[in-house]
Amino acid sequence: MSASAPISEVFQESFDHLIRGPFTVSSRGLLNDEQATRIVQELLARVESPTPGVLGGRGQTRILEIPGLGRMFLKRYSHGGLLRKITAGHFLCLGQLRSKVEFEMLELVRSLGVNAPKPLAFVQKGSTIYSTWLLMEELQGARSIVEIGEDEGDALPRALDGLSEQIRILIKHNIFHVDLHPGNVLVDDNRAVYIVDFDKACRFKGSRQALRELYLRRWRRAVIKHQLSPLLSEMMSLTLRSNDE
């Protein structure tokens, strides 16, 4: 490392030296030993390429191809804000593994009928200080709802209707996504609408009406922040408030 390296690189290299031990791949039996080994090899080689079209988010989602399973989404967890520059994707073990928590949340929401990526495995390297990843099935031909609106404006109402159905299920079961924005809504080749990035999703203790308004406010803020079409906000409000319980 050169003497002129940015201070963030100095910190990150220091954390890299602190992470000891092998990779641990947990898959609840969904992957065999050979596939788990290949995942570790890919992580060591750092050959993943970024997935385009995602607005914001703390996780870095990349594509990984595993023999016998095909192309997968691989998400590495990282901090937000200033901590991202200092510690990158390194965490101090103070609670549950973030990848494990999201793995379990994806299992839960899928069991309720929400379209979300199928979780396949979560990976950890280190113990007291660690890095972690989540492996999920790829959504074939997935594009964000923003791209759908830009490329196929006539398909946007249907996509928003599909999204509203998914959000209503979350509201019914008092689940708050926390970071629902247009970049976290994907439409696959079959026009199915998926919600992604359930990191830090949690149970909501207020009323369903209050939760619905939280979703709408978060969505509206994202539309304004990313200077997207106001139609995304207006149509979402109309569809989510229709058939109000």
Side-chain angles (χ1 to χ4, degrees):
M1 183 174 58
S2 68
S4 60
I7 188 66
S8 59
E9 292 184 11
V10 175
F11 276 110
Q12 289 171 24
E13 183 171 303
S14 298
F15 277 103
D16 283 334
H17 287 304
L18 289 173
I19 296 182
R20 304 293 182 185
F23 285 89
T24 301
V25 181
S26 304
S27 70
R28 302 201 196 285
L30 294 173
L31 303 178
N32 58 39
D33 290 343
E34 181 181 348
Q35 292 162 341
T37 299
R38 178 61 186 272
I39 291 171
V40 171
Q41 290 172 343
E42 295 289 347
L43 289 174
L44 287 171
R46 298 183 181 183
V47 297
E48 320 98 25
S49 58
T51 302
V54 177
L55 300 174
R58 294 175 181 172
Q60 302 168 10
T61 304
R62 305 170 186 272
I63 294 294
L64 193 66
E65 188 159 0
I66 305 298
L69 287 175
R71 286 160 59 89
M72 305 288 130
F73 284 142
L74 181 71
K75 174 180 179 178
R76 180 178 183 177
Y77 293 81
S78 61
H79 293 282
L82 180 60
L83 279 177
R84 180 193 293 268
K85 297 181 179 180
I86 297 176
T87 66
H90 305 119
F91 295 88
L92 185 62
C93 187
L94 297 174
Q96 292 195 71
L97 197 67
R98 279 174 62 180
S99 56
K100 179 177 184 291
V101 172
E102 185 169 3
F103 184 105
E104 293 173 346
M105 179 58 72
L106 286 171
E107 287 185 317
L108 172 61
V109 298
R110 283 172 55 86
S111 74
L112 298 174
V114 174
N115 289 340
K118 180 181 179 180
L120 295 174
F122 52 93
V123 184
Q124 177 182 4
K125 179 173 175 57
S127 53
T128 303
I129 296 177
Y130 69 89
S131 291
T132 188
W133 298 260
L134 176 66
L135 188 69
M136 300 163 281
E137 279 191 350
E138 182 191 21
L139 304 178
Q140 293 295 323
R143 294 185 294 162
S144 77
I145 201 169
V146 176
E147 294 173 280
I148 295 295
E150 292 175 346
D151 300 338
E152 307 174 51
D154 57 342
L156 184 59
R158 179 181 174 183
L160 285 170
D161 282 341
L163 172 59
S164 295
E165 291 177 10
Q166 309 302 310
I167 298 175
R168 287 193 187 99
I169 296 173
L170 294 175
I171 292 173
K172 178 180 178 181
H173 294 278
N174 302 107
I175 297 174
F176 184 31
H177 182 283
V178 177
D179 193 26
L180 183 66
H181 58 68
N184 280 336
V185 179
L186 303 181
V187 182
D188 71 6
D189 280 342
N190 297 317
R191 302 293 184 177
V193 179
Y194 285 78
I195 299 176
V196 301
D197 194 9
F198 278 83
D199 182 28
K200 298 190 176 180
C202 61
R203 293 285 188 175
F204 184 74
K205 297 182 180 179
S207 69
R208 291 179 181 176
Q209 289 76 17
L211 181 53
R212 181 196 62 193
E213 294 306 314
L214 271 178
Y215 274 120
L216 287 173
R217 284 200 298 271
R218 178 65 185 87
W219 183 269
R220 189 178 302 113
R221 283 202 308 270
V223 168
I224 294 171
K225 175 182 177 181
H226 294 284
Q227 299 180 338
L228 304 175
S229 169
L231 279 176
L232 278 169
S233 182
E234 295 167 8
M235 294 173 68
M236 170 59 75
S237 181
L238 287 173
T239 56
L240 195 56
R241 287 194 168 103
S242 66
N243 300 319
D244 196 8
E245 297 182 0

